[in-house]
Amino acid sequence: MAAGPAPPPGRPRAHMPHLTKMERVVVSMQDPDQGVKMRSQRLLVTVIPHAVTGSDVVQWLTQKFCISEEEALHLGAVLVQHGYIYPLRDPRSLVLRPDETPYRFQTPYFWTSTLWPAAELDYAIYLAKKNIRKQGTLADYEKECYDRLHTKISHAWDLVLMQAREQLRAAKQRRKGDRLVIACQEQTYWLVNRPPPGAPSVLEQGPGRGFCAASRVHMTKSADFYKQEIEYCRRALGRTRVKSSVCLEAYLSFCGQRGPHDPLVSGCLPSNPWISDNDAYWVMNAPTVAAPTKLRVERWAFSFRELLEDPVGRAHFMDFLGKEFSGENLSFWEACEELRYGAQAQVPTLVDAVYQQFLAPGAARWVNIDSRTMERTLEGLRQPHRYVLDDAQLHIYMLMKKDSYPRFLKSDMYKGLLAEAGIPLETKKRVFPFSWRPRHSSPSPALLPTAVEPTAAGGPGGGDGVA
Amino acid sequence: MAREECKALLDGFNKTTACYHHLVLTVGGSADSQNLRQELQKTRQKAQELAVSTCARLTAVLRDRGLAADERVEFERLWVAFSGCLDLLEADMRRALELGAAFPLHAPRRPLVRTGVAGASSGVAARALSTRSLRLEAEGDFDVADLRELEREVLQVGEMIDNMEMKVNVPRWTVQARQAAGAELLSTVNAGPSSVVSVEERGGGCDPRKALAAILFGAVLLAAVALAVCVAKLS
């Protein structure tokens, strides 16, 4: 349980690389000749070495990396926030003060990268130890965490208490100075990993990130390690590679082609609805609109996929194919799409319908598929599933793309559409910076619309309009 | 009786694991040395011996079908504590391997982190091995061979955990711990005074002037008391 979840198969990726960089900085600070100047901390009776002052840290960073003092201060503050350096006088506030306040370095065991993620069992043991040492006076949030942990891992509570007592007894074997230092180190670690409420958690990561620590040591004795390496190398060999010169050229041409069409890059006509509160832009570019804009029609020439994805474009293409007497291709493609993305329960009936309409010999709208694909499809139709028509669909798609699509682009129909499509005029900019028209707020969903039919109140159609 | 024996073994294993944890804390820091690595090796070997014997004992008992229900509950509790402790040991061994590899001692590739811990840890190791005192002298390149050994042992412990889970199936949610939350406060008689002192020391900061003032005040108070006694005697 303390080791965390098992690592996923495959080579573990470098996790939280900023921590490795911080550790390198901390280690270079330890250099006996060029590191930070160390002092001793003098307590009542004991003297503990290896204390540094905040100003020394800032000065060393400024010198080593040749940066400004402000930047060095920020870098030092980041080191303190992640727990690599901890303050001695006020351990709860992890800030770097560029004066004589003393700090000390954290031991590598408690570096965040070694013990990531912090385990619940370890936190429970730490709180139990603190409870024993402080005779029950924990901070409020710590008491809450203690109770919560007790509910969560109550089966392991014997172990928690046994370990807590034994760890305290083991610590007594050390001399007082070492004991103090180790207690401070552990406290800092838990302040960073379980911050008190209100303190920013520096280790927060977005969803979908962060898994267990990538082990830096390769366990060369186990067979699993070599199996993973072989798998990794095999996958790496099988990846297709494109020269960066080629793909960068393609990227440049893509940007050049799409630049004028992007509303953020080149502005949008008639006006940006978010700024001018005029939604004509959305109305004009709705999915199904009678008169598409010129930009939209131009986009159909970029690629076949663009044409098919636009409902207006698809409709016009269907008309064109109708004139060429090959409309069944597009209908077949649409039917296959419906099969792929439709409901699971409809799959057998749909497959049957498609077969009867398009694929059976002598069907009403027979599509022209080559014999090999037809054989494979007919084999697969014995056990129909939603991807059984994929091969045939791809064949028809490539046929349309290579054959009908270039003809469509050269056709009079398309040229006519291009000429007809207009560029919307830009709305005149108002003289005054603010608009005279009152801004409409969207109707609150709590207000029922007044036009609800009384007869349909109890039926399934009732309640429409309320979002 | 079997229960007492298992409990004693578990207590010993728990103690050794705690001591090992305490020793691993200082790897990579200023107290790291070949002696520390040797102490770590001895401690973890002792811990593994205890783990093997406890595991064998507990497995034998729990696989016995003719066990009474309340005894079974008791042994399952011990089993859960033992497997948790073994997980902790394995995690600490892995970390020791990582840190030992990152901070090698034989060739100073990386300087050790100056953490302020300077004393010897032989007391902790002696406690782990249940001896009065420990005197070790490790050679200059002890840690190189030690790391290879450690890697093998980590894999062995991992295998032991897997075997344990295969042989005995104890669902964790059915086990009820005997000690409640806050039970540690009831038996902390001997931990009291030293902890109070340590808290005060840490809060005292590095101010010798305060100590001087306290001594002066005490002296003045004593003088005042002596004078008052003399005045009372005279009058």
Side-chain angles (χ1 to χ4, degrees), chain A residues 86 106-107 109-110 115 122-127 129-130 133 167-168 171 179-193, chain B residues 21-22 25:
Chain A
Y86 59 94
Q106 177 72 286
T107 182
Y109 183 85
F110 281 129
L115 280 188
D122 290 337
Y123 192 43
I125 295 177
Y126 167 69
L127 286 178
K129 279 201 285 196
K130 204 162 178 189
R133 272 190 304 121
Q167 281 184 13
L168 283 177
R179 228 184 309 158
L180 286 176
V181 170
I182 293 179
C184 283
Q185 286 168 353
E186 207 179 352
Q187 187 187 32
T188 308
Y189 174 73
W190 287 112
L191 276 175
V192 171
N193 277 273
Chain B
H21 168 84
H22 201 82
L25 281 187

Side-chain angles (χ1 to χ4, degrees), chain B residues 58-126:
Chain B
L58 277 175
T59 319
V61 168
L62 280 171
R63 278 169 80 88
D64 177 20
R65 307 243 173 190
L67 200 57
D70 55 345
E71 293 231 338
R72 181 163 279 270
V73 162
E74 193 50 41
F75 279 107
E76 280 181 358
R77 217 173 43 81
L78 291 176
W79 174 265
V80 165
F82 171 65
S83 71
C85 209
L86 195 57
D87 282 337
L88 285 175
L89 178 70
E90 200 217 351
D92 274 336
M93 280 167 71
R94 270 183 203 272
R95 282 170 212 145
L97 180 61
E98 236 185 83
L99 292 173
F103 291 95
L105 293 173
H106 54 279
R109 190 164 56 100
R110 268 163 86 139
L112 299 171
V113 180
R114 289 179 276 185
T115 51
V117 178
S121 48
S122 46
V124 184

Side-chain angles (χ1 to χ4, degrees), chain A residues 42 109 146 158 163 220, chain B residues 14 77 87 92 151 184 206:
Chain A
R42 193 169 292 271
Y109 183 85
Y146 185 85
D158 283 340
Q163 269 291 302
T220 50
Chain B
N14 179 48
R77 217 173 43 81
D87 282 337
D92 274 336
E151 205 185 319
E184 63 269 20
C206 39

